[in-house]
Amino acid sequence: MLTAEEFAICCRELAEKSTAFPGFEWIIHECKNRGTLVIRRTEVCAEMRREFHVCYDEIYKVPLLLFNAWHPDGKLFSLEEVWATVSEAEASRLKFDPWTMITQQEHPIFRTPWYCLHPCKTESILTLLRLSISQKRNCVLSWLSVVASVVGLEMPMQMFCEQ
Amino acid sequence: MEDSAVRRQVWEGRVPVCFCASSNEFTCIERPKNIYMLVPRNSYFPLVTGKVFKYIATFVEPPFETEFWLEYNGIPLRWYYPVGLLFDLMKQGSSDLWQITVHVKDYPRDELFACSSLQVVEAHFIQTVKQADQIKHRSRVMNSIQKHGQKQLWNAMVTSRFDQFWEVNRLLMQNSEDEPIRHLPIKLFNKDYAFVQRLWPAYKSDGKDGELTKASDLLKLAGDRLGQLPIDNVTLLCQGVTVPAEAPLLWLYLNMSCPDNFLYVCALEINK
């Protein structure tokens, strides 16, 4: 479990660290009257534009990875198109229970539809991470190293190394 | 705290709806007729609009790339919210006929979730029940309910079977020494789709024997998250009923929640 304050500290550290990796920067988006923040990153290539947000889920008290993808003409990817971008390792699990892994959810800040990995398993991931790594590690960054590959979010390896 | 008569009445709530086809999306001379329906408050539009859409589809010319969606006063209706909540939000406490426009093209993907099948609705429903139990019991109860119990919640909701639903839901609503409810799954809405969701405490102070929080505490606890809404000029609406300021939140939650286990409260500004 993660408090909102811990989440904010981890996100600021993560964003600061990412400035050393051009093209992989995370930008902080402050939410004034919510006492919280979101970090976001945008990727653009010939086939699509994608935006990733990491928010704090107040119900499960865990970080939440939200993302959307748009075609070059600005049309939002459908759920089936998003599933097609998921890593092969997760594809078999998708076939078993596709609706519970990646679904649309309202963005906690913007209240618009975004795709997300369901947060109900994140707590067990964080628990395992905390058991296996030093307390000084950034747990949002560690969690991101686990879930980023699921949604095809590239992260430079050096970001996960100790500085 | 439990009041089965109130629960039954909440379950049987209906809103009067008139579905009208959008006037500028049909090229043929004959227009679809309006369809009138009493829609269960605690259901979801995709569960009741199958026949409406099928009828309107007969007026659509090929190619059939139709994506039906509903709109009221220019606002796309979020099908994943309970019907009664949408009614209270859109009609601001009025109870007269709700005239809803049915669109057949230009699905507003940036505002509405896709709804390709009833499985999507079911998945959303179960996910919401899980969120509610995370708030109440840290997911212990929902984790102990087998898959067929979750299926029973959904099936009973779809087929409007009260006793079958509460056979399972009583577990999720238990508030006992073993499974006390400390926080309440409540969404407090403003007049548009903005809502506040936080850990609403069931008691004013720690401990089960403390004083219960009241409906009037909602606005204080919401703080400035609900925007610039003057507290003195606000009335609270829940399941279409004005909520007394002194009503205990725990009682409201246990008896007037939607089947997804959330209590939806609308903060309406009183007209001067």
Side-chain angles (χ1 to χ4, degrees):
Chain A
M1 199 159 57
L2 196 64
T3 67
E5 292 74 26
E6 287 170 333
F7 173 81
I9 291 169
C10 289
C11 284
R12 293 186 202 281
E13 285 175 7
L14 197 161
E16 171 65 25
K17 193 168 186 178
S18 73
T19 58
F21 302 92
F24 296 95
E25 296 97 335
W26 289 85
I27 299 164
I28 296 177
H29 177 85
E30 303 277 355
C31 312
K32 288 298 183 275
N33 71 336
R34 299 283 297 266
T36 184
L37 57 77
V38 174
I39 53 171
R40 61 180 177 84
R41 195 179 113 188
T42 302
E43 280 181 1
V44 182
C45 66
E47 300 90 51
M48 63 186 167
R49 179 176 77 90
R50 289 193 299 175
E51 194 163 311
F52 298 89
H53 288 201
V54 175
C55 308
Y56 182 70
D57 186 303
E58 288 176 322
I59 294 180
Y60 290 99
K61 295 185 168 63
V62 295
L64 185 68
L65 179 60
L66 299 157
F67 63 99
N68 259 333
W70 294 267
H71 291 283
D73 63 0
K75 193 180 180 186
L76 192 69
F77 267 44
S78 70
L79 187 55
E80 288 75 19
E81 288 168 327
V82 165
W83 286 346
T85 67
V86 166
S87 71
E88 280 185 17
E90 298 291 336
S92 57
R93 191 185 147 189
L94 265 177
K95 283 176 189 145
F96 177 68
D97 205 0
W99 281 276
T100 58
M101 211 199 113
I102 294 182
T103 57
Q104 284 187 301
Q105 180 167 311
E106 280 187 341
H107 195 292
I109 309 299
F110 306 137
R111 300 297 181 203
T112 49
W114 285 69
Y115 296 104
C116 79
L117 293 178
H118 197 276
C120 64
K121 300 299 181 190
T122 305
E123 187 177 344
S124 48
I125 295 177
L126 288 178
T127 303
L128 288 173
L129 287 171
R130 283 186 141 142
L131 288 174
S132 59
I133 61 173
S134 158
Q135 285 293 318
K136 292 177 181 175
R137 287 298 192 90
N138 184 316
C139 55
V140 171
L141 184 54
S142 302
W143 159 82
L144 205 48
S145 72
V146 174
V147 301
S149 59
V150 174
V151 295
L153 169 58
E154 288 183 29
M155 307 272 293
M157 286 297 294
Q158 292 88 343
M159 269 198 75
F160 305 120
C161 298
E162 201 70 28
Q163 269 181 340
Chain B
M1 276 283 156
E2 289 87 18
D3 191 325
S4 58
V6 170
R7 287 176 174 176
R8 171 75 68 167
Q9 269 196 298
V10 164
W11 180 268
E12 291 171 357
R14 297 285 187 274
V15 299
V17 175
C18 171
F19 295 102
C20 322
S22 173
S23 54
N24 60 348
E25 287 172 24
F26 297 88
T27 52
C28 51
I29 296 172
E30 193 183 357
R31 290 264 319 277
K33 292 182 171 65
N34 292 349
I35 298 175
Y36 297 83
M37 192 181 290
L38 277 178
V39 182
R41 273 191 157 268
N42 295 305
S43 187
Y44 298 92
F45 273 121
L47 296 176
V48 304
T49 51
K51 289 178 180 175
V52 176
F53 292 169
K54 192 172 291 184
Y55 165 70
I56 291 178
T58 61
F59 294 83
V60 178
E61 294 184 354
F64 299 109
E65 289 172 10
T66 309
E67 284 184 288
F68 290 97
W69 56 285
L70 305 174
E71 166 253 311
Y72 175 73
N73 275 358
I75 300 172
L77 295 181
R78 299 188 178 187
W79 58 259
Y80 37 99
Y81 287 179
V83 169
L85 168 65
L86 293 169
F87 183 76
D88 293 345
L89 281 173
M90 299 294 141
K91 301 287 281 177
Q92 293 285 290
S94 158
S95 59
D96 61 358
L97 183 68
W98 190 14
Q99 192 146 313
I100 291 174
T101 304
V102 180
H103 293 269
V104 300
K105 59 182 184 179
D106 299 326
Y107 195 91
R109 291 194 189 200
D110 289 341
E111 293 183 69
L112 299 182
F113 295 161
C115 183
S116 50
S117 74
L118 291 188
Q119 279 172 293
V120 177
V121 189
E122 179 181 358
H124 173 80
F125 173 79
I126 295 299
Q127 200 179 108
T128 310
V129 176
K130 286 179 176 176
Q131 287 176 357
D133 194 56
Q134 170 71 23
I135 293 172
K136 286 180 284 180
H137 308 112
R138 301 230 357 104
S139 292
R140 281 186 299 272
V141 176
M142 196 59 170
N143 286 342
S144 71
I145 293 176
Q146 302 301 320
K147 207 77 172 182
H148 77 266
Q150 298 177 17
K151 200 69 177 177
Q152 182 169 329
L153 283 177
W154 170 252
N155 287 333
M157 213 264 298
V158 172
T159 57
S160 294
R161 295 168 72 164
F162 177 85
D163 295 324
Q164 190 179 334
F165 178 81
W166 276 97
E167 188 178 303
V168 181
N169 204 51
R170 61 180 179 84
L171 302 173
L172 289 162
M173 286 300 182
Q174 63 180 299
N175 182 28
S176 57
E177 293 296 326
D178 292 341
E179 290 291 355
I181 293 179
R182 297 262 183 263
H183 295 104
L184 300 169
I186 297 175
K187 291 184 183 180
L188 176 62
F189 278 81
N190 205 332
K191 60 176 179 290
D192 47 28
Y193 279 134
F195 67 85
V196 180
Q197 178 180 269
R198 49 155 292 171
L199 286 185
W200 309 94
Y203 301 92
K204 284 183 185 274
S205 57
D206 286 334
K208 195 163 180 266
D209 298 324
E211 190 184 350
L212 293 167
T213 47
K214 301 184 179 71
S216 55
D217 294 318
L218 273 180
L219 294 174
K220 297 168 197 155
L221 292 164
D224 59 357
R225 285 203 191 187
L226 204 59
Q228 304 308 316
L229 206 60
I231 290 183
D232 294 337
N233 267 357
V234 167
T235 185
L236 297 177
L237 203 65
C238 180
Q239 296 285 5
V241 175
T242 301
V243 176
E246 294 301 301
L249 283 181
L250 182 57
W251 185 96
L252 285 174
Y253 175 72
L254 293 175
N255 298 300
M256 297 185 74
S257 293
C258 280
D260 65 7
N261 277 234
F262 269 85
L263 183 74
Y264 294 95
V265 182
C266 301
L268 305 180
E269 201 159 357
I270 300 170
N271 296 318
K272 296 184 176 178

